[in-house]
Amino acid sequence: MGPNTPIEQVPKVGSIFVKRLKRLKIASVEDLVHHYPFRYENLGTPTKISEIPLGNVASASGEVWQIKNVRTRYGKSLALATINDGSASIEAVWFNQPFLIKTIKQGAKIGLAGKVGLFSHRPTFINPEYEVLGSKATSRRSLHTRGFVSIYPETAGITSKWLRARIKETLPTILPRIGETLPRDSLTRNTLIPRKQAIWQIHFPENKKQIDSARRRLAFDELLITHIAALERKSTWTRNISGIKLAVQQEKVLSLISNLPFRLTNSQNKVLREILNDLTGEKPMNRLLQGDVGSGKTVIAAIVAYVLFLNGYQTSLMTPTEILAVQHFNTLRTILSPLGVKVSIQTSGIKREEPFDVLIGTHALITKSTSFDNLALVVIDEQHRFGVEQRARLRVRGNTPHVLTMTATPIPRSLALTLYGDLDVSSLNELPEGRKRVKTFVVPPVKRSKAYQFIRENTLKGQQAFIVCPFIEPSETLASVKAARQEYERLTKEIFPDLSLGLLHGRLASYEKKKTIDDFRNNRLSILVSTPVVEVGIDIPNASIMMIEAAERFGLASLHQLRGRVGRSAQQSYCFLFPESVSKQVLQRLRALEEHHLGLTLAEIDLKMRGPGQIYGTAQSGIPSFKIANLTDLPLILTARQEAAYISTHHDLKKLPSLKREIKKRSLVPPD
């Protein structure tokens, strides 16, 4: 039996269990071995029956003196047993489990673990965990009723006890065939236990120290594999490839910057230097630009596009939505057109103008019908919204173009190191001068009417408001969530009948979206009711109020981005969060937005409270699926990253077959 042996060939796993195990993504022996516990119950060491105290959880073992089924006068079935260990006897009772008398036989030795209380005025194990340890001649060590007992992710018909038993039976056969992934010097340098030892200890630890050392080793492996794969991707990007080396005409670039209607922040100047340094180098740029909504990423892209124009090359800027494409088009055209730069846009609903120096668009830019004469820079906004394949297709357009990816999604450092390990990272951590912090409030239901009144008073003064709802139509499974269309009709008829309201969502036709946004931008609408489509791409300086329904259904990063739709001028702006739940946990999480105004801080909080899968999703985000590694453990991430760099430099992966196999298994195949 080897790692790739199908699970149905494991003893005591029949066709019914195969179907159940499939729900846990266990199809082979290897899957079973790497189905790790998520917690442990410490049942302690077995206690003499004569010394077991009442009211506590205890572990004991002894001989079954008698076992029988009885039925109470209320019709309930009880299995009653008497167990003796030589020091004393104790009762055990199980409710509605009459089949136990066929499993637990008189004269057998059994282990028990559970709470001991009074039953019929006698000390009794009440519904304890049990295991048959055999007869006196065939007695074995207990697996389920003493020490640290592993608790696994379960499914209907598959218990932790069942998994524990199958893994214990399988490991002795499979462990000798599990190779060490790390070189000996890596184990010593990072104080790691061998892989075989870690796998045994994660399932059957003797103490807390063994759990910690096993978890650390297995988590280290997962992180190391991800980092090595990232280094290989980065190496592939630069290996035997010459970038388009550009010259920076400083006087013209400085003239553009000095004519902007605002001053660049120190952060923008620093990032700009990093990018220009890449463009003048020998290798193609591959850089991630991260910054909060309103931090000035688009201006950086415009300046860089101008550098490309002065060198006689084209720039392509790709966005996830048509709304964002139009927003970028308007911004770049305003900045660059006076300098003779031809800025064009192409989406599914807008045909581009020919010729162009800068082309902005959605996924339509990667269709075969789009051609470039001399593309040298690809800018991808909100990269996490694209699949890996889409990004790869853009990166090979033209003559090995430089690539700048931008995101307003705040990404914690630990996640950025793991998710974007193949990119150089720049961050904008300042807002432009004159911006005020958006005052944020979590609003209880009793104050809803006051919030509406506040919106009315401010819109009558000429200001504007967003009201954001999670879904377009009511959902049967989330019936209480307010839908944008439903809410729009209610607000129009009942709350603000004298004000002008608009509705925006992703299912509107392009011309309808454009008209709605134009009407809102030109203050022909006082209130825009919308789905989270406003999260990116709508810049309305006059909008000063953001009201978010069912706020707990959004991650803190998304809420922070929605909040960033207001506060884009010198006037004071406000964000009202209306949760449907008033649980302590929900309110604690949302109130983080009242206290913190830096996206990265909020992302760190959300990562610790909810995990990366819930915050960013996993389908298109590229976030690795880890069984045991914790993406909030920055020290271990940094250690694994450092070791990955060392191994990539000092070791040949071909001489580390087990490590290379693990990389390949995770679909992170390094080139030969």
Side-chain angles (χ1 to χ4, degrees):
M1 187 163 59
N4 296 321
T5 300
I7 196 67
E8 54 264 33
Q9 294 184 25
V10 173
K12 302 179 184 177
V13 177
S15 58
I16 294 176
F17 281 104
V18 168
K19 292 178 181 177
R20 294 171 181 172
L21 288 167
K22 189 176 181 181
R23 296 197 294 265
L24 294 173
K25 299 182 179 178
I26 298 175
S28 68
V29 169
E30 187 172 47
D31 295 335
L32 179 66
V33 168
H34 294 299
H35 187 69
Y36 300 135
F38 69 94
R39 68 180 179 88
Y40 300 85
E41 287 185 357
N42 185 3
L43 300 178
T45 56
T47 305
K48 287 183 178 180
I49 291 175
S50 61
E51 298 174 2
I52 292 176
L54 282 173
N56 290 352
V57 172
S59 172
S61 62
E63 183 183 348
V64 180
W65 277 12
Q66 74 167 12
I67 183 167
K68 60 183 179 180
N69 282 330
V70 299
R71 189 166 294 278
T72 69
R73 58 181 177 177
Y74 302 107
K76 291 184 178 181
S77 172
L78 303 177
L80 292 172
T82 303
I83 293 91
N84 184 283
D85 69 349
S87 70
S89 295
I90 194 169
E91 308 296 313
V93 61
W94 293 270
F95 301 101
N96 298 315
Q97 297 183 57
F99 58 86
L100 287 182
I101 62 170
K102 296 180 180 179
T103 304
I104 303 172
K105 301 290 187 179
Q106 184 175 336
K109 184 178 181 181
I110 69 167
L112 297 172
K115 192 168 184 178
V116 176
L118 288 176
F119 184 80
S120 297
H121 308 292
R122 292 192 296 270
T124 305
F125 274 101
I126 300 174
N127 265 337
E129 184 66 74
Y130 74 92
E131 60 182 316
V132 178
L133 301 176
S135 64
K136 292 179 181 179
T138 61
S139 180
R140 60 178 178 81
R141 187 183 183 280
S142 58
L143 176 63
H144 311 294
T145 56
R146 62 170 289 173
F148 284 85
V149 176
S150 50
I151 306 299
Y152 297 88
E154 301 175 350
T155 188
I158 300 285
T159 64
S160 287
K161 186 175 183 178
W162 188 91
L163 287 164
R164 216 177 292 131
R166 300 293 81 72
I167 293 170
K168 183 66 178 289
E169 293 162 359
T170 304
L171 266 182
T173 303
I174 201 68
L175 269 183
R177 305 186 65 173
I178 293 178
E180 179 55 68
T181 53
L182 296 180
R184 186 173 299 174
D185 59 323
S186 293
L187 295 176
T188 304
R189 190 165 40 250
N190 297 285
T191 321
L192 297 167
I193 63 174
R195 183 170 175 79
K196 292 178 184 178
Q197 182 182 342
I199 292 172
W200 180 267
Q201 285 182 194
I202 200 71
H203 293 293
F204 308 109
E206 293 289 333
N207 49 52
K208 178 71 164 52
K209 185 178 179 181
Q210 287 194 359
I211 295 171
D212 293 342
S213 61
R215 280 190 173 279
R216 186 173 184 274
R217 168 61 210 267
L218 296 172
F220 186 92
D221 278 11
E222 289 184 330
L223 294 167
L224 179 87
I225 289 164
T226 302
H227 288 314
I228 288 179
L231 289 171
E232 289 291 337
R233 290 196 302 271
K234 190 170 186 176
S235 175
T236 301
W237 177 250
T238 57
R239 186 187 301 145
N240 302 322
I241 296 176
S242 296
I244 302 170
K245 193 172 182 179
L246 303 173
V248 178
Q249 299 183 34
Q250 287 193 353
E251 288 187 9
K252 291 186 177 182
V253 173
L254 290 173
S255 176
L256 165 59
I257 293 172
S258 64
N259 286 316
L260 292 171
F262 47 80
R263 287 195 307 173
L264 294 184
T265 63
N266 292 332
S267 185
Q268 284 176 309
N269 281 315
K270 177 178 179 292
V271 165
L272 189 56
R273 286 194 297 270
E274 292 171 345
I275 293 172
L276 295 181
N277 185 60
D278 287 346
L279 296 179
T280 57
E282 299 291 338
K283 298 297 182 181
M285 175 176 68
N286 195 17
R287 183 169 291 275
L288 171 68
L289 174 55
Q290 175 181 280
D292 274 356
V293 171
S295 61
K297 296 183 298 296
T298 309
V299 173
I300 295 292
I303 297 171
V304 176
Y306 183 53
V307 172
L308 271 290
F309 166 76
L310 293 174
N311 280 267
Y313 290 103
Q314 293 173 310
T315 296
S316 169
L317 196 162
M318 182 173 170
T319 71
T321 67
E322 186 172 299
I323 291 175
L324 186 54
V326 172
Q327 181 70 50
H328 282 320
F329 172 67
N330 290 330
T331 302
L332 267 66
R333 184 174 58 176
T334 300
I335 295 172
L336 297 177
S337 290
L339 301 171
V341 182
K342 296 173 183 175
V343 182
S344 184
I345 183 170
Q346 175 181 315
T347 68
S348 57
I350 306 173
K351 190 176 181 180
R352 73 176 185 269
E353 299 175 3
E354 298 280 5
F356 59 85
D357 301 305
V358 178
L359 181 61
I360 302 164
T362 57
H363 63 277
L365 294 188
I366 59 174
T367 61
K368 293 181 180 179
S369 61
T370 306
S371 60
F372 297 90
D373 297 326
N374 50 358
L375 179 67
L377 173 65
V378 174
V379 182
I380 308 174
D381 201 6
E382 294 300 334
Q383 168 173 288
H384 69 287
R385 292 166 182 262
F386 291 111
V388 173
E389 183 181 347
Q390 289 174 304
R391 297 199 296 268
R393 287 169 66 185
L394 253 181
R395 284 162 67 166
V396 298
R397 300 300 293 266
N399 184 21
T400 316
H402 297 282
V403 174
L404 175 66
T405 58
M406 306 192 303
T407 182
T409 302
I411 305 169
R413 188 179 177 212
S414 60
L415 191 57
L417 288 171
T418 309
L419 184 55
Y420 298 125
D422 56 332
L423 304 180
D424 298 310
V425 180
S426 295
S427 297
L428 294 173
N429 51 21
E430 297 175 82
L431 291 180
E433 291 182 358
R435 293 279 179 88
K436 295 180 180 178
R437 285 185 173 180
V438 179
K439 292 184 178 180
T440 306
F441 303 94
V442 179
V443 185
V446 293
K447 292 188 177 180
R448 177 178 288 273
S449 59
K450 287 187 177 181
Y452 287 148
Q453 183 60 30
F454 184 86
I455 292 173
R456 175 183 297 281
E457 291 172 358
N458 280 270
T459 53
L460 290 175
K461 294 176 185 177
Q463 297 179 26
Q464 294 169 281
F466 291 100
I467 297 179
V468 177
C469 306
F471 296 99
I472 298 171
E473 302 286 359
S475 167
E476 292 180 3
T477 56
L478 297 170
S480 62
V481 177
K482 291 179 172 61
R485 185 171 291 153
Q486 182 183 37
E487 184 69 353
Y488 166 75
E489 293 173 357
R490 187 184 75 85
L491 292 170
T492 302
K493 295 174 183 177
E494 301 175 19
I495 309 300
F496 304 115
D498 54 332
L499 298 178
S500 54
L501 279 71
L503 175 63
L504 181 69
H505 57 73
R507 295 183 190 173
L508 291 175
S510 295
Y511 74 91
E512 293 177 297
K513 291 179 189 175
K514 184 178 185 303
K515 182 180 184 305
T516 301
I517 294 170
D518 286 345
D519 285 346
F520 194 53
R521 180 174 286 113
N522 295 317
N523 213 351
R524 290 191 287 268
L525 297 173
S526 297
I527 300 171
L528 183 62
V529 181
S530 173
T531 59
V533 71
V534 299
E535 184 179 329
V536 291
I538 300 181
D539 187 359
I540 313 291
N542 194 52
S544 62
I545 300 172
M546 170 62 70
M547 179 175 171
I548 304 172
E549 295 283 1
E552 74 273 26
R553 299 192 182 275
F554 296 88
L556 294 185
S558 292
L559 291 171
H560 178 66
Q561 285 185 284
L562 288 169
R563 176 170 64 180
R565 291 297 113 208
V566 297
R568 302 177 74 82
S569 67
Q571 68 182 354
Q572 181 61 61
S573 294
Y574 303 86
C575 178
F576 300 129
L577 306 174
F578 282 86
E580 290 189 324
S581 168
V582 291
S583 72
K584 183 178 179 181
Q585 185 178 7
V586 164
L587 296 179
Q588 180 186 1
R589 190 171 69 87
L590 292 180
R591 283 187 177 131
L593 282 130
E594 295 181 335
E595 301 174 22
H596 302 286
H597 296 268
L598 186 63
L600 281 174
T601 303
L602 291 165
E604 295 282 1
I605 293 170
D606 225 11
L607 182 63
K608 290 176 182 177
M609 295 186 76
R610 299 199 304 155
Q614 277 192 291
I615 301 170
Y616 301 103
T618 55
Q620 291 190 355
S621 65
I623 295 175
S625 177
F626 292 136
K627 289 178 177 290
I628 204 163
N630 183 350
L631 285 173
T632 65
D633 190 349
L634 183 57
L636 189 63
I637 289 170
L638 290 171
T639 301
R641 180 181 172 88
Q642 184 178 7
E643 188 60 33
Y646 183 89
I647 289 175
S648 296
T649 305
H650 295 83
H651 290 275
D652 183 354
L653 281 180
K654 291 179 181 178
K655 296 180 180 179
L656 297 170
S658 293
L659 179 58
K660 189 168 182 178
R661 177 180 174 273
E662 289 298 314
I663 296 172
K664 184 177 181 180
K665 188 176 68 177
R666 290 177 64 85
S667 301
L668 301 167
V669 187
D672 289 323

